[in-house]
Amino acid sequence: MRTIEHWSVVEDGSVTSPLGFQAGGLHCGLKKTDRNDLGVILCEVPAVAAAVYTTNVFQAAPLLVTRDSLKDRRLRAVVVNSGNANACTGKQGEEDAFAMRAEAASVFGLEEGDVAVASTGVIGENLPMEKVIGGISKLPAAAAYGTDGAEQFSQAILTTDLVKKTACVKLTIDGHEVTIGGACKGSGMIHPNMATMLAFVTTDAAVEPEVLQSLLVDTTNVTFNMITVDGDTSTNDMLLVMASGLAGNEPLSPAHPQWEAFAEAFRYVNESLAKQIARDGEGASHLIEVQVEGGNSDTSAGAIAKTIVGSSLVKSAVFGADANWGRIIAAAGRAGEPIDPSNVDIKLGPILVLEGSKPVAFDEEAALEYLKGDTVQIFVNLHGGAGSATAWGCDLTYDYVRINAAYRT
Amino acid sequence: MRTIEHWSVVEDGSVTSPLGFQAGGLHCGLKKTDRNDLGVILCEVPAVAAAVYTTNVFQAAPLLVTRDSLKDRRLRAVVVNSGNANACTGKQGEEDAFAMRAEAASVFGLEEGDVAVASTGVIGENLPMEKVIGGISKLPAAAAYGTDGAEQFSQAILTTDLVKKTACVKLTIDGHEVTIGGACKGSGMIHPNMATMLAFVTTDAAVEPEVLQSLLVDTTNVTFNMITVDGDTSTNDMLLVMASGLAGNEPLSPAHPQWEAFAEAFRYVNESLAKQIARDGEGASHLIEVQVEGGNSDTSAGAIAKTIVGSSLVKSAVFGADANWGRIIAAAGRAGEPIDPSNVDIKLGPILVLEGSKPVAFDEEAALEYLKGDTVQIFVNLHGGAGSATAWGCDLTYDYVRINAAYRT
């Protein structure tokens, strides 16, 4: 709960809002339409970098390359293609991912180890490398400071997302203005064979390398790891953050007096991006936010929150505007976490529906109206401890089935 | 894999097929229509009994009563109502469940500790006890040997299942004919607020009490615990087995020379019931069976099989007749189990689609035809060990959403 926000939102800000970053995008031929399918974020100095990757056993080839480049926690660029995930592509796929890195390093005049690679799209098909290499050679002309380049990049990373997803805040640290921007894509595994959640966050803050990695891990645990669209984790998920340091502040670490402010601003950006992904879940018509408090621990509360927001029956009930606490409590009870079954409260938005595990009378009309709103909040108080957590998801609709049941006739 | 079946299927057999069992059902007023909503299984001798219950933290009141009756592993009767789960009903619910037991014991002339109770239906509403007690008083007249009583019972336990679900086999042990019959209900949490999977298995085999409990636990782990319709576990799930011993065989235990034959026949009945539940999953148009072999262990293979068959994307793909191995492999990879990502084979029925983690060309027409069949089998070979497991589920369809998104206008 934030009572004082140390940051302010930058409307229409994105990955090029922090000092030192250019971005760009173009169409190189991976997508059938002429939509952008190749993009780049470029930093004019070696940026301190950190990343987190999917825990899926099947890791797409680009992740191998990016892990290699991130060994020294420094990056100058990340090249991203959509339309092809370069996943389950064997040795050829690995060679292709390294070739993407090599070409990008070449055309931008960089060391290969300063370039990361990401891919999203169809699984199991090799990259058409002539198109990719050809596209990369045109990226330097496409990369630019400012909003146009950022817009091109945001479009380049989308697969069948309905909307681009960006976020940006600024705050003051050591008297210097620091900006944090981000762009992401994904809404679960949206389209037959397409995968992935990708997020790119840039900042001009000066941050120590190991500190940035820790912050990313901690922040991911309460943002991107707390969203579920359909429970699936792709082969390509990756979150990458680059910090140019050009804001000129004293390098941030937990010892810095304004560390908390920075960490909260960073969390806000990631949370915003994560919620946008959940809201754009395939077929979704509602964002669902589940807040659990009174759990044994934050981890326990988190497991319960994710189980509730991931329950097909809870998701369907939201789609149907059904104030159905029975499904919420049943989902909570199967999360594998300890709960005192006699002392659970549940609220749907402002409407109390269960108190001390006993149903309470409520205004059905008011509940129906509330459930028709774009965001549906479910509050669960377990009265068991100090653990709390929030998870996000979306409703389960006919469109989800339509989008995912692709008839191949 | 069974090469020799020691048993034979008894067509239209059910819970009254084994010696010593009567069953019955009637309408007492819990359901709005005049469908049966109260049933009983009665054994003319104290049957050796065993049960397994939901692991959901929220355990419905009837489970408390049944656990109490099963302390001595003996039962004479089980009374079941549908239309109301008597779950999340607090102290009143517990009193009502004990009152059901007391009334049943009274009208059948039994000790209370020899009677079990089960309920299924709406969560969070107290039982209308006048109707229930009134109905129980009429059960002795309804209970009968033979198929009519069993049919009435099978109907009485259904909530919104489309079909009743029964299974029955017979085999010879020590020269005595032994029969195992069963009836169940459930297809996940089918209807708003309705819950539960209930299964009742009867046999006339003589079995030692602790042995029957162990057998039930082991069998449940590879049958009912390996089905998933929508991932939800209700507050009322219960499996109950009663063994009258009237077949006259030497009491069965793992030391008995025909133990394996009995255990396999028992497993067949439970597996049949479990698969019928999966096939009757809300909105389902296909049964999906996932067989995993080459896992590190049976448990590991089981976790992977369940993750695949529970994946919304795999389920949608089956609905859409889409031969989509990318989703299958992504689901396998997020099961949290070790897998060598470079050596996975996947077959859809007889059609090989992935070999050594490389896609293989296949006849798309043949795949489409195969996927239109009622049962879709997915075979996954991980080439990692000797672990194997099978899990069952169903496709995700528009009807699932329609059934579960109940507009409350």
Side-chain angles (χ1 to χ4, degrees):
Chain A
M1 313 253 167
R2 305 183 197 92
T3 46
I4 303 170
E5 290 185 353
H6 297 280
W7 65 88
S8 55
V9 171
V10 175
E11 298 291 336
D12 298 322
S14 182
V15 294
T16 53
S17 302
L19 293 171
F21 291 94
Q22 300 180 56
L26 52 82
H27 171 74
C28 77
L30 295 172
K31 284 179 177 163
K32 295 190 188 63
T33 63
D34 60 5
R35 294 172 71 196
N36 284 356
D37 53 23
L38 187 67
V40 64
I41 297 175
L42 194 62
C43 186
E44 64 190 49
V45 297
V48 171
V52 287
Y53 312 91
T54 181
T55 52
N56 197 301
V57 169
F58 300 91
Q59 304 238 322
L63 271 59
L64 182 69
V65 176
T66 294
R67 285 181 193 275
D68 180 73
S69 295
L70 273 165
K71 279 182 183 150
D72 65 352
R73 304 197 195 278
R74 296 276 172 184
L75 279 183
R76 291 286 308 275
V78 56
V79 174
V80 188
N81 77 277
S82 54
N84 186 311
N86 194 14
C88 298
T89 41
K91 279 269 162 264
Q92 184 61 55
E94 288 179 18
E95 291 174 16
D96 292 344
F98 279 106
M100 281 181 70
R101 181 175 78 166
E103 182 67 18
S106 172
V107 302
F108 284 103
L110 304 170
E111 298 292 325
E112 287 185 28
D114 283 342
V115 178
V117 170
S119 300
T120 177
V122 177
I123 293 176
E125 291 182 19
N126 289 305
L127 287 167
M129 287 304 284
E130 357 49 72
K131 294 180 181 176
V132 174
I133 297 298
I136 290 174
S137 69
K138 300 193 183 81
L139 279 178
Y145 293 99
T147 51
D148 288 347
E151 175 68 27
Q152 296 296 324
F153 175 80
S154 294
Q155 295 296 336
I157 64 177
L158 304 183
T159 45
T160 57
D161 308 56
L162 294 175
V163 295
K164 67 167 183 160
K165 304 165 181 61
T166 58
C168 188
V169 301
K170 64 181 181 185
L171 67 162
T172 305
I173 295 188
D174 298 331
H176 298 264
E177 183 174 283
V178 165
T179 304
I180 307 171
C184 70
K185 63 82 55 176
S187 45
M189 285 179 66
I190 341 170
H191 207 69
N193 275 332
M194 289 193 185
T196 314
M197 189 177 73
L198 294 177
F200 304 92
V201 176
T202 56
T203 180
D204 42 32
V207 192
E208 291 175 18
E210 289 76 17
V211 167
L212 189 64
Q213 181 70 37
S214 294
L215 177 64
L216 180 62
V217 169
D218 289 347
T219 305
T220 301
N221 280 341
V222 294
T223 58
F224 291 100
N225 281 348
M226 292 304 287
I227 66 176
T228 176
V229 170
D230 53 18
D232 269 289
T233 304
S234 97
T235 50
N236 291 52
D237 291 346
M238 189 170 83
L239 315 180
L240 179 69
V241 57
M242 298 168 70
S244 69
L246 293 175
N249 58 292
E250 286 300 306
L252 283 153
S253 76
H256 192 294
Q258 286 165 294
W259 169 252
E260 284 300 325
F262 178 75
E264 286 212 22
F266 185 78
R267 175 179 173 158
Y268 173 86
V269 169
N270 283 272
E271 186 175 301
S272 171
L273 294 175
K275 287 165 72 173
Q276 290 178 59
I277 286 179
R279 178 59 183 82
D280 199 32
E282 51 267 51
S285 59
H286 295 275
L287 173 73
I288 303 174
E289 179 178 284
V290 175
Q291 290 190 27
V292 173
E293 58 175 322
N296 274 26
S297 64
D298 288 351
T299 306
S300 182
I304 293 166
K306 278 194 84 175
T307 304
I308 294 171
V309 86
S311 158
S312 288
L313 288 161
V314 171
K315 288 155 65 77
S316 304
V318 172
F319 176 53
D322 180 9
N324 194 316
W325 59 263
R327 295 183 181 186
I328 296 167
I329 212 171
R334 67 169 172 92
E337 296 295 325
I339 296 175
D340 173 0
S342 69
N343 199 7
V344 177
D345 305 337
I346 294 177
K347 290 172 65 180
L348 299 174
I351 304 161
L352 182 68
V353 295
L354 190 74
E355 190 172 29
S357 298
K358 292 184 180 54
V360 298
F362 60 91
D363 183 344
E364 295 264 3
E365 287 293 322
L368 183 64
E369 272 315 298
Y370 176 76
L371 290 168
K372 288 180 177 173
D374 191 271
T375 296
V376 169
Q377 288 181 311
I378 297 173
F379 300 97
V380 180
N381 193 334
L382 305 171
H383 296 291
S388 67
T390 302
W392 300 274
C394 59
D395 53 335
L396 176 60
T397 67
Y398 296 118
D399 275 351
Y400 177 91
V401 178
R402 179 184 59 74
I403 289 165
N404 285 301
Y407 286 84
R408 289 169 120 226
T409 49
Chain B
M1 316 253 167
R2 305 185 196 90
T3 47
I4 304 170
E5 290 184 355
H6 298 279
W7 65 87
S8 54
V9 171
V10 176
E11 298 291 337
D12 299 323
S14 182
V15 293
T16 53
S17 302
L19 294 171
F21 291 94
Q22 299 180 56
L26 52 83
H27 171 76
C28 75
L30 295 172
K31 284 177 176 164
K32 296 190 188 63
T33 64
D34 60 4
R35 294 173 71 195
N36 284 357
D37 52 24
L38 187 67
V40 64
I41 297 175
L42 195 62
C43 186
E44 64 191 47
V45 299
V48 171
V52 288
Y53 312 91
T54 181
T55 52
N56 196 301
V57 169
F58 299 91
Q59 304 239 320
L63 272 59
L64 182 69
V65 175
T66 295
R67 285 181 193 277
D68 181 72
S69 295
L70 274 165
K71 280 183 182 148
D72 65 350
R73 303 196 196 278
R74 294 277 172 184
L75 278 184
R76 290 287 308 276
V78 56
V79 174
V80 188
N81 77 277
S82 54
N84 186 312
N86 194 14
C88 297
T89 41
K91 278 270 162 261
Q92 183 62 55
E94 289 179 17
E95 290 174 16
D96 291 345
F98 279 106
M100 281 180 70
R101 181 174 79 165
E103 182 67 18
S106 171
V107 303
F108 283 104
L110 304 170
E111 299 290 327
E112 287 186 29
D114 283 343
V115 178
V117 171
S119 302
T120 178
V122 177
I123 293 176
E125 292 181 19
N126 289 305
L127 288 167
M129 287 306 283
E130 359 46 72
K131 295 181 182 176
V132 174
I133 296 299
I136 290 175
S137 70
K138 302 193 181 81
L139 279 178
Y145 293 98
T147 51
D148 288 346
E151 175 67 26
Q152 295 296 323
F153 175 81
S154 293
Q155 295 296 335
I157 64 176
L158 304 183
T159 46
T160 57
D161 308 53
L162 293 176
V163 295
K164 69 170 181 157
K165 304 166 183 59
T166 59
C168 188
V169 302
K170 64 182 181 183
L171 67 162
T172 305
I173 295 188
D174 299 330
H176 299 264
E177 182 173 284
V178 165
T179 304
I180 307 171
C184 69
K185 65 80 56 177
S187 45
M189 285 180 63
I190 341 170
H191 207 68
N193 276 332
M194 290 190 186
T196 313
M197 189 176 74
L198 294 177
F200 303 93
V201 175
T202 57
T203 179
D204 42 31
V207 191
E208 292 176 18
E210 290 75 18
V211 166
L212 188 64
Q213 181 70 36
S214 293
L215 176 64
L216 180 62
V217 170
D218 290 346
T219 305
T220 301
N221 281 341
V222 294
T223 57
F224 291 99
N225 281 348
M226 293 303 288
I227 66 175
T228 175
V229 170
D230 54 18
D232 269 287
T233 304
S234 97
T235 49
N236 290 54
D237 291 348
M238 189 171 82
L239 316 179
L240 180 70
V241 58
M242 297 167 70
S244 69
L246 294 175
N249 57 292
E250 286 300 306
L252 282 154
S253 75
H256 192 295
Q258 287 166 292
W259 169 253
E260 284 299 326
F262 179 76
E264 286 212 22
F266 185 78
R267 175 179 174 158
Y268 173 86
V269 169
N270 282 272
E271 186 176 300
S272 171
L273 294 175
K275 286 165 71 174
Q276 291 178 59
I277 286 179
R279 179 60 184 82
D280 198 31
E282 51 267 50
S285 59
H286 294 275
L287 174 72
I288 303 174
E289 178 178 284
V290 176
Q291 290 189 27
V292 173
E293 57 175 323
N296 274 26
S297 63
D298 288 351
T299 305
S300 182
I304 293 165
K306 278 194 83 175
T307 304
I308 293 170
V309 85
S311 157
S312 290
L313 288 161
V314 171
K315 289 155 65 77
S316 304
V318 172
F319 176 53
D322 180 9
N324 195 315
W325 60 263
R327 295 182 181 186
I328 296 168
I329 213 173
R334 69 170 170 90
E337 297 295 325
I339 296 175
D340 173 1
S342 68
N343 199 7
V344 178
D345 305 338
I346 295 177
K347 291 172 64 177
L348 298 174
I351 304 160
L352 182 68
V353 294
L354 190 75
E355 189 172 27
S357 298
K358 292 184 180 56
V360 298
F362 61 91
D363 183 343
E364 295 265 5
E365 286 295 321
L368 184 64
E369 271 317 296
Y370 176 75
L371 289 168
K372 287 180 177 172
D374 191 271
T375 295
V376 169
Q377 289 182 310
I378 297 173
F379 301 96
V380 180
N381 193 332
L382 304 172
H383 296 290
S388 67
T390 302
W392 300 273
C394 59
D395 54 336
L396 176 60
T397 67
Y398 295 119
D399 275 351
Y400 177 92
V401 179
R402 179 183 59 74
I403 290 165
N404 287 299
Y407 286 84
R408 288 170 120 228
T409 47

